[in-house]
Amino acid sequence: MRARIATLCVAVVVLAPGAGVAADSTAWAPHFSAAARYAKHRAGSVRFAVIGPLGKFQGFHAKQTAPSASLLKAMLLVEYLRIVRDRPLHTQDRRLLRPMIIRSDNAAATRVNAIVGHRVYRLAHDARMRDFHWDPSVWGLSRTSPRDQARFFGDLEDLVPARHRAYALHLLASVIGPQRWGIGRVPHAGWNLYFKGGWGSGSGRVDHQAALLTNGSEQISLAIFTEFDPSHRYGKQTLRGVARRLLRGLPD
């Protein structure tokens, strides 16, 4: 697992002057209380989780599950790459995986879901997920929780086979502009952002995001779930509001 040294919820490394992260960045931590206060006053159901150094976890109703929608696609990506760990990726692999992640193509996800099958439970076990349930017939109705997804994204780099790691991260960093709402609109200068969202066909039934942010040897993972939003637009605003508060003052 990526080396982490810090206090509270975010890993930080004190470097020599001019080497990257400022020495006083050890004082920074996710603004959990501010995010929780905001979440309490939003319509619908909001819950989230954030994980920092040494497995430190903070959660707001983080054990409650919801339909995964397209969040499952990140898990399908990783398990597919684990299945083909012993060979290079072929053109047909990329034609499935790229659209499934960068523009959330459902037809590609259905094909990958059929290939991965019950092996997705092996991934859930390795990611220390406690609340995951796969729906083999309607993959978007598979259930997961914020704590599951924060753990999964926190371990992402270790879960993907080394030969395919750069490709997986590239896809998760390349979500198309029209789908880069929520955390994708929160400033994160100096940090790499890898994320996936899931939403209920624009209905507001669910609007979720899970993400990994990295800066050298530092990392933050988080997952934000919403259900029963008045609209998809409202759900996107909630995702951004929670993420903006959690990451306020993030040092570059």
Side-chain angles (χ1 to χ4, degrees):
M1 183 176 292
R2 176 185 292 269
R4 305 170 184 170
I5 304 173
T7 60
L8 296 177
C9 291
V10 173
V12 288
V13 179
V14 179
L15 303 174
V21 179
D24 63 356
S25 64
T26 54
W28 187 89
H31 295 265
F32 179 84
S33 296
R37 286 194 299 270
Y38 172 81
K40 289 177 183 177
H41 294 287
R42 296 297 286 175
S45 175
V46 185
R47 49 261 202 195
F48 61 88
V50 59
I51 299 178
L54 305 177
K56 178 69 176 181
F57 173 95
Q58 286 182 288
F60 180 80
H61 303 300
K63 300 178 184 180
Q64 295 182 19
T65 66
S68 67
S70 291
L71 270 188
L72 186 71
K73 293 169 183 172
M75 295 181 65
L76 295 178
L77 166 69
V78 172
E79 188 54 31
Y80 186 101
L81 294 175
R82 282 154 55 107
I83 292 171
V84 300
R85 68 171 64 241
D86 295 324
R87 66 166 175 83
L89 294 177
H90 303 318
T91 299
Q92 57 266 35
D93 300 316
R94 298 174 187 272
R95 285 177 177 171
L96 276 178
L97 300 177
R98 181 175 174 80
M100 181 179 73
I101 298 301
I102 71 166
R103 57 183 175 85
S104 208
D105 184 87
N106 287 336
T110 297
R111 293 175 64 188
V112 175
N113 184 64
I115 294 167
V116 169
H118 67 274
R119 295 180 186 88
V120 73
Y121 279 118
R122 177 180 63 180
L123 174 63
H125 176 269
D126 291 346
R128 301 169 294 124
M129 298 168 71
R130 300 180 183 177
D131 311 311
F132 178 72
H133 177 76
W134 176 59
D135 189 316
S137 57
V138 185
W139 51 260
L141 295 182
S142 301
R143 298 190 70 87
T144 186
S145 66
R147 72 171 178 178
D148 274 358
Q149 293 300 314
R151 284 172 174 156
F152 169 66
F153 271 78
D155 289 346
L156 185 68
E157 292 181 273
D158 294 325
L159 292 167
V160 181
R163 74 184 302 162
H164 300 316
R165 189 171 298 142
Y167 180 70
L169 293 175
H170 170 71
L171 293 185
L172 292 166
S174 303
V175 172
I176 61 174
Q179 296 178 7
R180 298 187 72 86
W181 54 71
I183 193 170
R185 301 294 183 185
V186 175
H188 54 276
W191 293 76
N192 301 307
L193 174 63
Y194 311 102
F195 78 103
K196 186 70 188 80
W199 57 97
S201 301
S203 66
R205 171 61 178 85
V206 299
D207 277 292
H208 309 322
Q209 287 184 332
L212 170 69
L213 294 99
T214 66
N215 183 347
S217 62
E218 305 173 284
Q219 73 169 46
I220 307 161
S221 65
L222 56 94
I224 308 165
F225 280 36
T226 76
E227 283 194 277
F228 311 113
D229 296 302
S231 67
H232 180 39
R233 180 180 180 182
Y234 186 95
K236 292 192 292 184
Q237 291 171 343
T238 299
L239 293 172
R240 183 177 182 180
V242 172
R244 183 168 62 85
R245 285 162 177 80
L246 279 174
L247 300 176
R248 188 177 64 210
L250 184 68
D252 58 22

